[in-house]
């Protein structure tokens, strides 16, 4: 297991910190299990209580029956003796006379025999009474209709599980693609906005340049600062898990409903044909999730550290890369890229365009194997161009500098992991 799964991500002296990816995946699995159990319980209560009650009161056909005999059936479950009223009746359906021993569906088993006998005494042998039979199964008949509202309230329990599990899955998906550093910044910004008194938050010395994080927010183990990662693969894994659980949980409810119809002798071929494509999508979602999970497990975490942050145009810096996972790599490369993004309106449509304006390959190695437990590690030096545009952020424009780690292992799709940087103007004193 330890060969493929990284349970620890960082080592600080003698202390290890747990992998946040594994922790978030554990949270998603927990909420997914809660959601799935809620869907299962919801389907079982619908099949056993809600739908039978609804059909008895809405779909059963009324006719007259003659009571031939009455009695009380006795059974034993888990050492407890239970009683249930039984009526032997005769009625006609489409010219055919039926004589059955009707275990009255609208009454439940009880431990009190007097309660069952009291219900039976309301029917006199030889007398005629109205009854209602199932058009899909004429041998199923009731003499008293009504709703068992007490059992309907049990729907609240699986409904709550569905709500809690679904909300947890969505919340986990939102948090998945956000690093701890970014969440800390959001928390600080929210606290600053919530203050109604006191001094205002400090303003950047250069308008439009994003505020750099404090160096002690994410110290490195080899170099001074560890860059936070924005992983598209992490988003894909979380999204595939949430979609797989939500979609298949809902499909499970309809599958149980269809199976119950088949077991009661009233197959729904139209509903089955309608559900087949949804089942195929559910199967594809399961394959998608396991594919992303295996990729996330096999391609271990990537760590990038820099000697200083924020950087400055024209400055020379050192970079450290650590790639975990026992892999046979086709290639692994590190790129320093700058992308410009513009958001504009064209008519009534808002468009977003991104252009890569600068790219510098800092490192590349081909056809090698990662065989050690520590993974692959390398150092390199790089220089930010003196004439480079500094980082910039506005409502409609953005200049984003990024360390891009791009690799591909034999037998697996290529992967790409992004580590955002902040670059200040050249020859300017750092006043952040």
């Amino acid at each position: 297991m330890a060969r493929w799964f990284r349970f620890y991500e960082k080592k600080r002296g003698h202390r290890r910190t747990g992998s946040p990816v594994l922790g978030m995946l554990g949270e998603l699995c927990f909420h997914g299990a809660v959601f799935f159990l809620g869907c299962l319980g919801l389907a079982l209560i619908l099949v056993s209580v809600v739908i039978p009650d609804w059909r008895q009161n809405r779909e059963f056909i009324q006719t007259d029956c003659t009571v031939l005999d009455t009695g009380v059936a006795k059974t034993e479950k888990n050492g407890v003796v239970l009683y249930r009223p039984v009526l032997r009746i005769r009625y006609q359906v489409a010219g055919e006379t039926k004589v059955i021993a009707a275990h009255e569906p609208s009454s439940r088993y009880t431990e009190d025999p007097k309660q069952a006998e009291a219900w039976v005494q309301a029917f006199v042998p030889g007398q005629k009474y109205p009854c209602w039979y199932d058009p899909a199964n004429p041998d199923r008949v009731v003499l008293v209709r009504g709703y068992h509202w007490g059992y309907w309230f049990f729907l609240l329990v699986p409904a709550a599980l569905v709500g809690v599990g679904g909300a947890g899955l969505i919340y986990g998906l939102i948090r998945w693609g956000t690093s701890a550093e970014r969440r800390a910044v959001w928390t600080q910004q929210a606290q600053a906005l919530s203050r109604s008194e006191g001094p205002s938050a400090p303003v950047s010395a250069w308008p439009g340049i994003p505020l750099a994080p404090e160096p002690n927010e994410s110290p490195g183990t080899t170099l001074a600062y560890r860059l936070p990662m924005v992983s598209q693969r992490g988003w894909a894994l979380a999204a595939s898990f949430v979609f797989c659980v939500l979609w298949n949980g809902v499909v499970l409810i309809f599958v149980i409903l269809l199976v119950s119809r088949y077991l009661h002798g009233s197959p729904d071929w139209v509903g089955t044909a309608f559900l087949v494509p949804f089942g195929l999508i559910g199967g594809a979602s399961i394959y998608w999730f396991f594919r992303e999970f295996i990729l996330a497990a096999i391609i271990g975490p990537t760590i990038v550290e820099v000697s200083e942050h924020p950087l400055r145009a024209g400055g020379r810096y050192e970079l450290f890369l650590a790639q975990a996972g026992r892999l046979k790599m086709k290639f692994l490369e590190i790129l320093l890229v700058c992308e410009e993004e513009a958001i504009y309106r064209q008519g009534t449509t808002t468009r977003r365009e991104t252009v890569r304006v600068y790219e510098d390959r800092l490192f590349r190695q081909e056809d090698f194997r990662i065989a050690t437990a520590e993974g692959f590690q390398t150092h390199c030096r790089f220089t930010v161009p003196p004439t480079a545009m500094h980082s910039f952020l506005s409502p409609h424009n953005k200049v984003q500098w990024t360390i891009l780690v791009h690799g591909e292992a034999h037998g697996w799709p290529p992967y790409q992991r992004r580590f955002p940087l902040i670059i200040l103007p050249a020859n300017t004193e750092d006043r952040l």
Side-chain angles (χ1 to χ4, degrees):
M1 291 291 291
R3 179 179 179 181
W4 303 112
F5 297 91
R6 287 292 299 267
F7 296 97
Y8 301 98
E9 185 171 73
K10 298 180 181 180
K11 183 175 180 180
R12 311 285 182 167
H14 298 289
R15 179 173 60 89
R16 291 181 182 269
T17 59
S19 169
V21 174
L22 187 63
M24 290 187 181
L25 184 61
E27 291 183 13
L28 288 177
C29 290
F30 171 76
H31 291 295
V34 171
F35 179 83
F36 190 80
L37 290 176
C39 290
L40 182 61
L42 193 64
L44 292 177
I45 294 178
L46 287 174
V47 170
S48 61
V49 178
V50 175
I51 294 179
D53 276 3
W54 179 264
R55 295 192 68 246
Q56 288 175 20
N57 291 274
R58 298 291 181 178
E59 297 182 0
F60 279 27
I61 298 174
Q62 182 176 354
T63 186
D64 292 328
C65 69
T66 301
V67 177
L68 302 179
D69 194 8
T70 63
V72 175
K74 182 174 68 173
T75 186
E76 184 176 346
K77 291 184 178 180
N78 300 325
V80 179
V81 179
L82 301 175
Y83 302 89
R84 190 180 190 186
V86 178
L87 301 173
R88 186 165 173 266
I89 62 174
R90 181 177 66 240
Y91 61 100
Q92 288 189 343
V93 176
E96 179 183 357
T97 300
K98 292 183 174 292
V99 177
I100 65 171
H103 294 266
E104 179 56 35
S106 62
S107 62
R108 305 293 175 180
Y109 284 103
T110 177
E111 298 181 17
D112 185 6
K114 294 182 179 179
Q115 182 179 352
E117 292 173 358
W119 190 91
V120 168
Q121 290 174 0
F123 299 91
V124 179
Q127 297 293 325
K128 287 188 175 183
Y129 298 91
C131 66
W132 294 264
Y133 67 89
D134 188 350
N137 183 15
D139 290 336
R140 187 164 180 257
V141 62
V142 297
L143 280 78
V144 176
R145 296 197 299 180
Y147 293 96
H148 299 83
W149 298 111
Y151 291 91
W152 282 51
F153 282 109
F154 284 109
L155 287 171
L156 297 176
V157 176
L161 294 178
V162 170
V164 172
L169 288 172
I170 296 174
Y171 177 68
L173 178 61
I174 294 174
R175 291 178 61 239
W176 184 281
T178 307
S179 64
E181 291 81 6
R182 179 61 58 85
R183 292 196 297 271
V185 171
W186 285 352
T187 302
Q188 295 171 2
Q189 292 176 347
Q191 292 174 351
L193 291 175
S194 63
R195 299 190 187 101
S196 57
E197 297 180 357
S200 59
V203 180
S204 172
W206 300 283
I209 299 180
L211 290 175
E214 294 294 333
N216 58 2
E217 284 187 4
S218 183
T221 56
T222 303
L223 298 179
Y225 185 82
R226 177 168 297 182
L227 296 176
M229 181 180 68
V230 180
S231 174
Q232 296 177 348
R233 180 65 67 187
W235 271 106
L237 175 60
S240 64
F241 180 80
V242 172
F243 180 81
C244 176
V245 173
L246 293 178
W247 185 275
N248 287 287
V250 175
V251 170
L252 175 66
I253 296 177
F254 290 98
V255 169
I256 294 178
L257 295 180
L258 285 175
V259 170
S260 68
R261 286 183 173 269
Y262 281 94
L263 294 178
H264 286 89
S266 55
D268 186 357
W269 300 108
V270 176
T272 303
F274 180 78
L275 191 61
V276 166
F278 292 92
L280 294 176
I281 295 175
S285 69
I286 295 175
Y287 169 78
W288 179 32
F289 164 67
F290 278 104
R291 178 180 179 274
E292 295 296 333
F293 178 75
I294 292 174
L295 285 176
I298 297 298
I299 309 297
T302 304
I303 295 175
V304 173
E305 297 178 358
V306 291
S307 56
E308 184 180 339
H309 194 250
L311 311 183
R312 191 161 41 236
R316 184 172 177 80
Y317 304 96
E318 186 178 357
L319 182 144
F320 168 75
L321 168 71
Q323 175 62 64
R326 297 179 181 269
L327 303 165
K328 184 179 180 182
M329 301 293 297
K330 290 184 178 180
F331 72 92
L332 180 67
E333 64 180 7
I334 307 173
L335 303 175
L336 174 65
V337 301
C338 177
E339 295 176 331
E340 291 187 9
E341 180 181 285
I343 302 176
Y344 60 94
R345 295 184 63 86
Q346 188 174 17
T348 58
T349 304
T350 300
R351 298 185 178 275
R352 182 190 302 267
E353 291 189 4
T354 302
V355 178
R356 181 172 296 184
V357 296
Y358 178 82
E359 177 178 310
D360 182 18
R361 179 180 294 168
L362 309 181
F363 169 85
R364 181 179 175 91
Q365 185 167 336
E366 299 179 353
D367 295 327
F368 66 99
R369 183 182 295 273
I370 304 176
T372 63
E374 293 77 13
F376 175 80
Q377 298 181 1
T378 186
H379 290 76
C380 63
R381 292 182 175 275
F382 68 98
T383 301
V384 180
T387 58
M389 173 65 183
H390 57 75
S391 300
F392 179 77
L393 179 64
S394 70
H396 300 286
N397 299 91
K398 180 169 68 173
V399 176
Q400 176 66 66
W401 285 86
T402 306
I403 295 292
L404 191 65
V405 178
H406 187 207
E408 183 177 358
H410 287 277
W412 301 100
Y415 68 94
Q416 177 176 287
R417 291 170 179 176
R418 305 173 65 89
F419 299 83
L421 287 169
I422 294 179
I423 293 183
L424 305 179
N427 302 321
T428 305
E429 183 180 357
D430 187 355
R431 289 174 285 175
L432 283 181

